[in-house]
């Protein structure tokens, strides 16, 4: 074996070990799989204080191995149950990846008996900064992935849970333009529910920065550096205009928006809310209306146990439970 191949092999082994360490750390800090409790017990999400570092641990793991799956996700032998007949597909946010975004929610949902899947999309292989490409291209990748999940599991539909871009414009584009729904025959839809955590549904001003780059005509230059997803998610973009032209929703889909008043990325936060059209239902939730002490902002909401409980209730509204509000801190999650 050549020196180059030996070096490459050792490098891959090191990356794999670091990814395993980071995955274990993220699971440990979020409470792990709680000793394999039965799905019927519907365990609560992990509680503080250990969970406070879960987000940074996942970010580290996602940086070390950007293609890694979060614990609990992408078991292609999983088969849906009568209690949870639809696989859950977790769609990550802009400039992140599946591991960094979903290392709390994926194992927790898996523990409760869901088949959980989490793709990486919209980025260059090997880069930790994914979901940076054009929204229509990313939506086609999600369409292909959902088809793969349906074929592997034998399910007829999936539920989508997404964060930021992954809960907003990209899945909405998929539902409308890439075959996720069939408006003429909603029973043939491939998606039953779309649950968005801080979703970028109607574009953002990015606390005024996006407004400035738009007014100065700088979005093409910014997108050349950080990716087309920046321009596509600005208020008034062609992507947003086309998506909103015929209403917010698709027939046969149940939509849930979980927003935070402290959102500093999708601004104003009310841009996240949807209006139900014919044959669809929408529930818009501001998390502080449920848990007034919740301080999660745009990033940390993916590691917010209050939000996790709202996701669970949206996935299975027939068995919804009151949210046990816990302390939630910005940036680190909580």
């Amino acid at each position: 074996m050549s020196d180059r191949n030996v070096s490459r092999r050792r490098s891959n082994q090191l990356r794999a070990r670091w990814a395993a360490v980071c995955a274990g750390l993220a699971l440990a800090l979020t409470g792990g799989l709680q000793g394999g409790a039965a799905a019927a017990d519907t365990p609560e999400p992990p509680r503080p204080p250990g969970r406070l570092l879960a987000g940074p641990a996942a970010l580290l793991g996602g940086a070390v191995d950007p293609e890694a799956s979060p614990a609990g996700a992408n078991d292609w032998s999983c088969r849906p149950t009568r209690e949870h007949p639809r696989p859950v597909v977790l769609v990550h946010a802009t400039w992140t990846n599946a591991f960094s975004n979903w290392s709390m929610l994926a194992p927790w949902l898996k523990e409760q008996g869901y088949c959980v899947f989490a793709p990486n999309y919209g980025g260059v292989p090997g880069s930790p900064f994914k979901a940076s490409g054009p929204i229509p291209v990313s939506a086609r990748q999600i369409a292909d992935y959902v088809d793969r999940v349906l074929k592997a599991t034998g399910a007829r539909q999936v539920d989508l849970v997404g964060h930021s871009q992954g809960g907003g414009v990209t899945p909405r584009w998929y539902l409308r333009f890439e075959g996720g729904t069939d408006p003429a025959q909603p029973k043939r839809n491939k998606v039953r529910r779309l649950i968005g955590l801080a979703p970028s549904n109607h574009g953002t001003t990015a606390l005024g920065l996006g407004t400035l780059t738009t007014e100065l005509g700088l979005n093409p230059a910014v997108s050349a550096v950080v990716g087309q997803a920046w321009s596509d998610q600005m208020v008034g973009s062609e992507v947003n205009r086309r998506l909103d032209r015929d209403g917010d929703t698709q027939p046969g889909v149940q939509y849930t928006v979980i927003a935070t008043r402290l959102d500093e990325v999708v601004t104003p936060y009310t841009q996240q809310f949807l209006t139900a059209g014919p044959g669809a239902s929408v529930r818009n939730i501001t998390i502080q209306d449920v848990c007034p002490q919740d301080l999660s902002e745009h990033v940390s909401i993916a590691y917010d146990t209050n939000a996790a409980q709202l996701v669970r209730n949206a996935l299975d509204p027939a068995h919804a439970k009151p949210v046990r509000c816990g302390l939630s801190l910005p940036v680190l999650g909580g």
Side-chain angles (χ1 to χ4, degrees), residues 72-81 83-90 106 109-118 145 149 152-155 157-159 315:
N74 299 335
D75 175 5
W76 294 95
S77 66
C78 187
R79 296 295 177 267
T81 63
E83 291 77 15
H84 303 303
R86 289 178 299 278
V88 177
V89 177
L90 305 175
L109 291 176
K110 178 70 170 181
E111 181 183 3
Q112 295 179 65
Y114 288 94
C115 291
V116 181
F117 297 88
Y145 189 86
V149 169
T153 61
Q157 293 181 312
V158 303
D159 291 332
L315 287 171

Side-chain angles (χ1 to χ4, degrees), residues 60-308:
L60 175 60
V64 171
D65 188 354
E67 308 305 327
S69 295
N74 299 335
D75 175 5
W76 294 95
S77 66
C78 187
R79 296 295 177 267
T81 63
R82 179 177 298 179
E83 291 77 15
H84 303 303
R86 289 178 299 278
V88 177
V89 177
L90 305 175
V91 188
H92 62 74
T94 308
W95 303 328
T96 182
N97 54 61
F99 188 97
S100 61
N101 213 147
W102 302 120
S103 283
M104 183 186 82
L105 198 60
W108 185 61
L109 291 176
K110 178 70 170 181
E111 181 183 3
Q112 295 179 65
Y114 288 94
C115 291
V116 181
F117 297 88
N120 282 310
Y121 72 95
V124 177
S127 169
F129 305 110
K130 302 187 187 299
S132 60
I135 297 301
V137 174
S138 291
R140 284 193 290 274
Q141 293 176 13
I142 297 302
D144 291 342
Y145 189 86
V146 169
D147 286 348
R148 182 184 173 196
V149 169
L150 292 175
K151 182 177 180 179
T153 61
R156 188 176 64 85
Q157 293 181 312
V158 303
D159 291 332
L160 302 179
V161 178
H163 181 204
S164 192
Q165 177 193 154
V169 286
T170 290
R172 285 181 60 217
W173 191 281
Y174 158 56
L175 294 178
R176 178 158 295 178
F177 300 119
E178 296 297 336
T181 59
D182 184 344
Q185 300 185 64
K187 290 184 178 181
R188 297 178 61 181
N189 288 354
K190 296 178 181 179
V191 175
R192 177 59 173 156
R193 295 188 173 98
L194 170 57
I195 302 164
L197 293 167
S200 58
N201 276 318
H202 297 300
T204 176
T205 66
L207 281 180
L209 179 60
T211 302
L212 180 64
T213 59
T214 298
E215 291 181 350
L216 295 178
L218 297 177
N219 281 339
V222 174
S223 292
V225 177
V226 301
Q228 182 63 31
W230 166 272
S231 293
D232 286 350
Q233 292 179 93
M234 292 299 106
V235 168
S237 72
E238 176 58 29
V239 163
N240 277 291
R241 289 199 301 271
R242 187 174 175 191
L243 263 179
D244 295 344
R245 191 171 297 150
D246 296 316
D248 293 350
T249 61
Q250 290 294 99
V253 179
Q254 297 177 3
Y255 297 80
T256 301
V257 171
I258 302 170
T260 169
R261 290 193 180 96
L262 304 179
D263 201 307
E264 77 286 20
V265 175
V266 181
T267 57
Y269 77 94
T270 51
Q271 288 289 100
Q272 301 171 31
F273 295 149
L274 297 171
T275 299
S281 67
V282 170
R283 186 181 181 200
N284 293 313
I285 302 170
T286 302
I287 201 163
Q288 285 82 17
D289 290 341
V290 180
C291 298
Q293 75 276 31
D294 194 300
L295 298 178
S296 61
E297 39 65 69
H298 185 84
V299 176
S300 61
I301 198 169
Y303 284 84
D304 178 4
T305 60
N306 304 323

Side-chain angles (χ1 to χ4, degrees), residues 3-89:
D3 291 343
R4 178 177 295 180
N5 288 337
V6 170
S7 177
R8 183 179 300 167
R9 182 179 179 182
R10 288 176 178 172
S11 176
N12 289 339
Q13 289 174 339
L14 181 62
R15 289 174 67 243
R17 288 172 185 169
W18 268 105
V21 168
C22 294
L25 180 60
L27 283 174
L29 292 172
T30 58
L33 295 182
Q34 314 233 349
D41 295 338
T42 57
E44 295 303 321
R47 313 302 297 179
R51 178 169 42 80
L52 296 180
L53 294 178
L59 285 173
L60 175 60
V64 171
D65 188 354
E67 308 305 327
S69 295
N74 299 335
D75 175 5
W76 294 95
S77 66
C78 187
R79 296 295 177 267
T81 63
R82 179 177 298 179
E83 291 77 15
H84 303 303
R86 289 178 299 278
V88 177
V89 177

